Amino acid sequence: MHEGDPTNNDLLTGLSRLYIDGEYVEASYDEEPVIDPGNEEIVGYAPVADQFHLTTAVAAARHAFDHGPWPRYSPQERAQVLMRFHAALAGQRDRLAHILIREAGVIRADVWSRQIDIPLKHLANNINIALQDFSRQVCPEVVTAGKRKVIGSALVQRVPVGVVAAVSAYNYPTYLNLAKIGPALMAGNTMILKPSPMTPFQAILLGQIASEAGLPRGVLNIVNGGAEVGQFLCADSGVDLISFTGSEQVGKIIAENAGRNLKRCLLELGGKSPLIVRSDANLDAAAAMILRGFTSHAGQGCAMFTRAIVHNSIKKNVVDRISEMARSIEIGPPGASSTGMGPVISAQQRQRVEAFVQRASEEQSPPVFGGSRPTHLTKGFFFEPTLFDNVDNRSEIAQEEVFGPVGVVIGFDDDEEAIALANDSKYGLRAGVISSDSGKAFEMAQCLNAGQVLLNGGALTSLSDSPFGGLKQSGFGRENGREGFLCYTEVRSIEYHA
Ligand code: NAD
């Protein structure tokens, strides 16, 4: 950390309690250490919810939905409260940033823009979207009623679903939590949020801010804990909608259990996103994008371009440039301003990455670069940027999500082959094409089975109104934009005649 950075006491003051029914609640017995992935030190002890806390939190959200003012407020009234929440959050940007550096291992260079300002932008947009009128009047029909004729019609409304259980992942924690809080609450739902137990403090801070912003009690409850806490929430009969972001493996368990009770669920899951680089691509831009695709946030992003599909005529050239560029990435503590890549989240996650790399080295060939822990860092869960070339698209390293700084390069000879390779994946979150022929790239985008396609790097930001989400085993439902907002609503049709 740097001189002038807050101490742990400043950072974590008031964050040792759960937020349930508008009150701060002590954890009765359990507290879990939260480890700083950059130095393996304990950041703090986070409260863990027990069954009593969870039952109380669901009952509070249920009561706030069934009897409280929140679902009955107009969208404008809800917007006023959430705009205060947004403003209070913006006022705590620096504290939030330092928590994210410590508990999530986000590097200083990325933390404000990617992990705070973009989520704040999406929150503001979700507030605005909810102010649109989504109701519609059904085209009237003339109906015979005895001896007279009347006009029958209906008003189709978008209404909240009810109580939302939101369970989120560790990698972009504030982004994910706000992407759920914004649309869920603006649509008039109430909710219980459970962050990853590895990144709890930023979520507990959100509860503190929501309380200061004047959210009525029970509307937003924040609990913490691991798989068993998530399981409890997802199974509770008081919950109407599960909004889950996490791995495909846990997503399947949640979907299976939800199916048994016909409970609605939104699943934002993993990916192995393909980036097609045509022979007419700008080679430096392509190399930089491929490198960012597996090293940004140490490879811990669901939609990252970890599978580069590069035209054989330029492949060697591109791989040479990536190798050259990778040498200049400074691996180091997340808090240092010169750091270009930080650690993965935990010792367990690093072991998982190492196992993937070892199997790929045995089954294919050794990586072009990387493949080990950096020798100059003895503490922290660091791993070198690692690239495999000439990879078989059917191999484990090309098909499975590693969630570490590991990329693969696969060669192709014509556009049809590139599309077939890109689509040959169980996932369908994001795909990309790099080409100086933008018309051809657009045509190829029509053939790619992904929820989002970026042409030549896309819009260069996460657009607030462009929906994000997956096809196939990357899940279902959308986040952001109009489509994301509507996922937190149900349809009610009120029919009448005159
Ligand atoms: P994870 O699936 O291990 O955990 C996610 C959350 O689920 C955590 O809060 C965890 O405590 C909880 N959980 C674990 N088991 C559970 C169960 N049986 N029932 C209910 N909840 C349970 O994921 P992670 O390691 O935190 O995050 C990485 C994964 O998240 C990657 O696969 C990544 O692709 C995915 N992800 C997807 C998106 C997206 O928008 N598509 C965004 C970020 C991360």
Side-chain angles (χ1 to χ4, degrees):
M1 299 295 277
H2 285 191
E3 212 178 308
D5 282 348
T7 65
N8 258 13
N9 282 349
D10 298 334
L11 267 191
L12 304 184
T13 302
L15 304 185
S16 60
R17 289 173 296 169
L18 305 165
Y19 181 61
I20 298 173
D21 201 14
E23 312 267 340
Y24 298 106
V25 183
E26 300 281 348
S28 347
Y29 311 105
D30 263 349
E31 283 190 331
E32 281 280 339
V34 175
I35 307 296
D36 181 333
N39 57 19
E40 304 181 36
E41 286 170 10
I42 293 174
V43 178
Y45 288 86
V48 175
D50 61 21
Q51 283 219 0
F52 174 74
H53 295 127
L54 297 175
T55 313
T56 315
V58 176
R62 189 75 261 165
H63 185 82
F65 185 76
D66 293 337
H67 306 290
W70 189 254
R72 287 147 203 96
Y73 277 176
S74 67
Q76 289 74 13
E77 286 170 313
R78 288 197 285 263
Q80 275 178 9
V81 180
L82 284 192
M83 272 160 12
R84 285 202 299 273
F85 175 64
H86 184 281
L89 204 52
Q92 297 258 11
R93 256 175 107 248
D94 285 352
R95 184 174 180 201
L96 200 49
H98 284 102
I99 293 176
L100 289 165
I101 289 172
R102 295 295 313 273
E103 68 178 12
V106 181
I107 61 168
R108 189 176 281 264
D110 286 344
V111 72
W112 280 276
S113 59
R114 292 205 199 161
Q115 299 254 1
I116 298 176
D117 291 342
I118 288 178
L120 277 172
K121 178 176 87 164
H122 286 304
L123 177 62
N125 195 55
N126 270 312
I127 296 172
N128 282 331
I129 285 172
L131 294 173
Q132 293 172 22
D133 183 6
F134 290 100
S135 66
R136 73 180 173 91
Q137 194 66 46
V138 166
C139 187
E141 286 177 35
V142 175
V143 188
T144 305
K147 289 191 176 151
R148 59 191 197 108
K149 288 187 190 255
V150 294
I151 300 169
S153 188
L155 176 71
V156 182
Q157 298 174 307
R158 284 286 177 168
V159 296
V161 184
V163 173
V164 178
V167 177
S168 61
Y170 72 82
N171 57 332
Y172 279 78
T174 304
Y175 177 106
L176 301 175
N177 294 335
L178 291 182
K180 294 180 190 308
I181 291 174
L185 296 192
M186 274 310 296
N189 302 286
T190 60
M191 71 192 287
I192 308 107
L193 169 70
K194 188 205 88 65
S196 163
M198 294 184 279
T199 53
F201 292 120
Q202 52 74 39
I204 299 175
L205 179 63
L206 296 184
Q208 207 176 69
I209 293 171
S211 166
E212 284 160 20
L215 232 76
R217 55 190 300 164
V219 171
L220 174 66
N221 304 272
I222 298 184
V223 297
N224 176 48
E228 56 305 328
V229 171
Q231 253 165 349
F232 183 100
L233 288 177
C234 294
D236 197 291
S237 60
V239 168
D240 301 298
L241 170 70
I242 300 164
S243 172
F244 173 76
T245 300
S247 60
E248 165 211 343
Q249 294 76 11
V250 175
K252 282 180 179 164
I253 298 172
I254 288 178
E256 204 177 312
N257 293 336
R260 230 172 276 127
N261 297 309
L262 292 180
K263 196 171 284 201
R264 281 145 186 71
C265 60
L266 306 172
L267 300 173
E268 299 282 356
L269 310 179
K272 189 83 188 180
S273 301
L275 177 64
I276 297 175
V277 182
R278 295 185 77 235
S279 57
D280 59 2
N282 175 315
L283 299 192
D284 283 332
M289 212 178 296
I290 294 171
L291 182 62
R292 246 194 337 274
F294 65 93
T295 56
S296 167
H297 198 18
Q300 300 167 108
C302 53
M304 292 175 68
F305 288 129
T306 48
R307 200 161 53 101
I309 299 173
V310 184
H311 196 270
N312 279 322
S313 64
I314 54 167
K315 189 161 75 60
K316 180 170 180 328
N317 223 328
V318 170
V319 169
D320 287 347
R321 285 174 203 225
I322 300 172
S323 309
E324 184 62 37
M325 290 175 183
R327 274 198 276 277
S328 63
I329 297 182
E330 191 172 322
I331 309 171
S337 34
S338 59
T339 294
M341 196 184 89
V344 295
I345 191 73
S346 63
Q348 192 190 15
Q349 184 60 20
R350 182 169 60 180
Q351 277 162 12
R352 188 171 174 271
V353 173
E354 286 173 330
F356 270 116
V357 168
Q358 191 181 340
R359 287 194 296 272
S361 304
E362 285 162 10
E363 284 163 19
Q364 317 260 313
S365 48
V368 185
F369 57 81
S372 314
R373 300 178 183 193
T375 46
H376 70 289
L377 294 160
T378 51
K379 285 281 180 195
F381 309 122
F382 297 96
F383 195 75
E384 292 172 336
T386 301
L387 185 70
F388 288 94
D389 190 10
N390 296 318
V391 169
D392 175 354
N393 191 54
R394 296 307 307 155
S395 65
E396 181 192 61
I397 199 73
Q399 288 290 321
E400 296 298 326
E401 184 183 51
V402 176
F403 234 55
V406 180
V408 301
V409 177
I410 298 158
F412 76 91
D413 289 316
D414 60 55
D415 291 340
E416 286 65 36
E417 186 190 2
I419 290 166
L421 286 165
N423 288 339
D424 184 10
S425 165
K426 64 181 166 178
Y427 295 117
L429 194 51
R430 181 182 277 168
V433 183
I434 311 186
S435 169
S436 54
D437 183 340
S438 55
K440 184 67 204 172
F442 188 77
E443 271 179 10
M444 289 173 80
Q446 315 301 312
C447 306
L448 290 167
N449 297 332
Q452 193 179 54
V453 182
L454 304 190
L455 303 184
N456 292 319
L460 306 178
T461 184
S462 170
L463 290 174
S464 8
D465 217 9
S466 177
F468 175 77
L471 310 182
K472 301 194 272 184
Q473 296 193 23
S474 293
F476 38 79
R478 288 293 179 271
E479 165 173 288
N480 300 336
R482 184 187 161 89
E483 292 78 5
F485 174 74
L486 291 177
C487 287
Y488 289 88
T489 66
E490 276 289 7
V491 175
R492 178 166 59 205
S493 177
I494 302 178
E495 298 189 359
Y496 53 89
H497 70 268

